[in-house]
Amino acid sequence: FSSTQRCNALDIHTIRDLSLAAESIADPNHPLLTAFDPNTVKTMRLLCLGIDKASVKASGAPKSCSAEDSFWQNPLSNTTGVKTSLALLAKKLLSKVRSVEQSFGFRPVPTLSLTLRHAGRDAEPRRERRQMQLGSFKVGNPNCKGNISSPKG
């Protein structure tokens, strides 16, 4: 964030602006060198060109998993449509969870949450969130009687 502020102060607002400004930093009084050290400017320019020499770090299992869909173009207007869409999203989410399980094994899912964004009665966007504590429940554990699955028709 502070890098963005420093760039904005130098009238650099886009990747293109930064790339052009960083092309010629031979002059020690170059504006970029007043805000950043030479190595940072060089790294920023390479990143603008899509060159990143940093190695990819494995970070382990994701901390969250989500599925979402937008209904702005085709709004849901009845209970059947909402139930069908929620079932499809649950299926999509379960597929993602299974993929994570294949890579990292079963892991506890302590909290299940659902967030709905919708137009309220006054047409103002609203957001509602519901959460449920699952404790040591493991999604997809075949020995658990409470497996999450998509609802049947």
Side-chain angles (χ1 to χ4, degrees), residues 19-131:
S19 184
L20 291 173
E23 277 182 353
S24 58
I25 58 164
D27 178 11
N29 296 321
H30 190 284
L32 274 175
L33 294 176
T34 62
F36 304 99
D37 66 80
N39 287 335
T40 302
V41 174
K42 182 179 177 183
T43 300
M44 289 166 61
R45 182 170 187 278
L46 290 173
L47 290 173
C48 287
L49 298 172
I51 301 167
D52 185 358
K53 296 180 181 181
S55 59
V56 177
K57 299 174 188 168
S59 60
K63 293 188 179 2
S64 67
C65 189
S66 65
E68 59 184 77
D69 204 345
S70 173
F71 302 99
W72 290 109
Q73 292 180 350
N74 298 313
L76 300 174
S77 57
N78 59 47
T79 305
T80 305
V82 172
K83 285 181 180 179
T84 301
S85 294
L86 284 174
L88 291 172
L89 284 170
K91 196 175 208 177
K92 188 177 178 181
L93 180 59
L94 188 57
S95 175
K96 287 182 173 185
V97 169
R98 296 260 190 255
S99 175
V100 170
E101 286 175 348
Q102 287 176 352
S103 299
F104 301 99
F106 288 120
R107 60 190 196 107
V109 177
T111 307
L112 177 67
S113 65
L114 172 70
T115 303
L116 297 173
R117 292 183 193 100
H118 60 90
R121 293 185 192 273
D122 57 358
E124 287 293 317
R126 291 188 51 182
R127 180 177 168 213
E128 294 183 36
R129 183 181 181 102
R130 301 289 184 266
Q131 288 189 180

